[in-house]
Amino acid sequence: MPFRDVVAARGHRRLADLLARSVARDMLPPSLIFSGPAGPDMREMAIATAQATNCLTPTGEGDRRDACGSCAACTRIARRVHPDVMVIEPGDNGAIKIDQIRDVIERAGFRPFEGRRRVVIIDEADTMASGPQNALLKTLEEPPPSSSFILVTARPDMLLPTVQSRCPRLRFQSTGREEIDEDAREIAHSVLAQAAATDDPGRRIDAAKDLLAKTGAGGRGDREQLASHLQAMAALLRDVEVLATCADDEVLANGDVRQDLQRLVTSFGGDRGVRAFAAVDQALAALDRNASTKIVADWLVLQL
Ligand SMILES: [Zn+2]
């Protein structure tokens, strides 16, 4: 899952931008702690980092490097079979064992097989007892070149102080919800509601104007504004899908506007919603490539 999809679904845009920049400049630190509430957000961001690092056909200009999400490297990383991206997690007994750490340290000593950089993700790193943590510490103190270790944890204080002090920490907020701009969300919702109400292309193109910045100058600020509307739209569509499949309400990013979402289920639950989500994703990628904001907005409303 590329950064743009993680941000659309979970928020954490500031952290994603920071990581994208580090990857673009080949300055990803040799070790990092991702700390924040339990849940998939941090793990997904770690995978996105590994993909942006090793993608064969990365997207985004300059510092906005992102993975394509579909090349052989991205696919293998997502399936956890890429030789340079290792994900360590607790076994059946709920703990990460010292053998798992020794194995990963040994492999991290070699140059990457095919990627740019080896990325080792240690999920639920707090389940390492002091033995495995001490084994890892030596590697964190003298990190092998071309390797980065990402320790993911909801309980960073369970890590040894020596381990904590070796790793810069990125803090994830409790939910992406606060990061969804209220105005952006309102606009995204109204455009979806209008698309649900009419197939008339003219009226839809009218709605597209709401997605664009009022200045209309087409500069960087305008692109960012359109991107924030699109990200809000992706988060709404994802929630509609959650409601349509009767999944757990707890995972809604926009639970506070549940009734508005429920009204969109008839139109956007199922295939149409999935296609709309993909179109929003494509629109965001086009913006990354500096496509005209008006063309992107017009194109998108016709796909909804
Ligand atoms: Zn790729």
Side-chain angles (χ1 to χ4, degrees):
M1 187 184 259
F3 286 131
R4 59 182 177 278
D5 290 351
V6 178
V7 170
R10 315 274 180 204
H12 313 296
R13 171 139 49 132
R14 193 181 58 80
L15 294 179
D17 285 351
L18 186 74
L19 289 163
R21 198 158 56 235
S22 313
V23 171
R25 297 181 183 175
D26 206 10
M27 288 173 69
L28 193 66
S31 57
L32 276 171
I33 290 175
F34 285 5
S35 73
D41 298 26
M42 297 187 286
R43 186 174 54 243
E44 286 179 1
M45 194 70 88
I47 295 283
T49 306
Q51 286 181 325
T53 302
N54 291 306
C55 175
L56 301 174
T57 52
T59 65
E61 305 237 318
D63 282 350
R64 305 186 75 88
R65 185 185 169 106
D66 201 354
C68 72
S70 54
C71 70
C74 286
T75 312
R76 291 165 76 193
I77 291 168
R79 290 172 47 218
R80 301 194 179 185
V81 292
H82 192 287
D84 297 318
V85 177
M86 289 169 263
V87 181
I88 310 299
E89 50 197 359
D92 292 340
N93 67 349
I96 294 174
K97 297 201 202 87
I98 196 160
D99 290 347
Q100 291 172 276
I101 294 299
R102 284 191 181 128
D103 177 49
V104 90
I105 289 171
E106 193 183 316
R107 288 161 64 191
F110 297 101
R111 290 191 56 73
F113 287 106
E114 51 188 64
R116 269 171 91 213
R117 190 171 187 83
R118 194 183 301 276
V119 180
V120 180
I121 299 165
I122 304 183
D123 198 11
E124 297 184 54
D126 49 86
T127 63
M128 287 186 286
S130 58
Q133 287 198 51
N134 276 315
L136 182 63
L137 184 60
K138 292 189 190 78
T139 301
L140 298 179
E141 283 170 346
E142 290 171 44
S146 310
S147 285
S148 285
F149 288 76
I150 302 177
L151 280 60
V152 174
T153 175
R155 299 181 300 168
D157 295 342
M158 300 292 282
L159 297 173
L160 297 174
T162 40
V163 169
Q164 290 185 50
S165 70
R166 282 282 151 199
C167 307
R169 195 187 295 191
L170 296 189
R171 291 166 212 275
F172 285 65
Q173 300 298 319
S174 58
T175 139
R177 195 176 303 160
E178 302 88 3
E179 297 191 24
I180 296 169
D181 177 326
E182 289 280 330
D183 291 340
R185 187 170 72 175
E186 219 164 275
I187 289 171
H189 176 263
S190 105
V191 171
L192 285 175
Q194 288 182 61
T198 179
D199 287 335
D200 179 55
R203 287 176 60 194
R204 286 195 175 199
I205 298 279
D206 266 352
K209 289 183 190 135
D210 295 340
L211 290 172
L212 296 169
K214 298 292 173 254
T215 66
R220 187 188 165 91
D222 291 5
R223 262 206 301 284
E224 279 173 10
Q225 188 160 358
L226 176 55
S228 95
H229 293 151
L230 296 184
Q231 276 153 0
M233 191 179 283
L236 290 172
L237 286 168
R238 176 183 161 273
D239 278 357
V240 167
E241 198 185 318
V242 169
L243 287 175
T245 52
C246 301
D248 189 353
D249 270 24
E250 284 294 296
V251 302
L252 289 179
N254 303 279
D256 55 323
V257 289
R258 191 180 190 288
Q259 290 196 326
D260 289 342
L261 294 170
Q262 194 67 54
R263 279 193 287 275
L264 291 175
V265 169
T266 336
S267 302
F268 288 105
D271 278 2
R272 183 174 171 189
V274 174
R275 281 201 311 274
F277 189 92
V280 172
D281 185 61
Q282 246 180 292
L284 282 165
L287 280 181
D288 264 353
R289 294 191 305 266
N290 279 344
S292 136
T293 49
K294 178 159 171 28
I295 290 175
V296 170
D298 286 354
W299 175 82
L300 177 67
V301 291
L302 297 175
Q303 312 302 313
L304 293 176

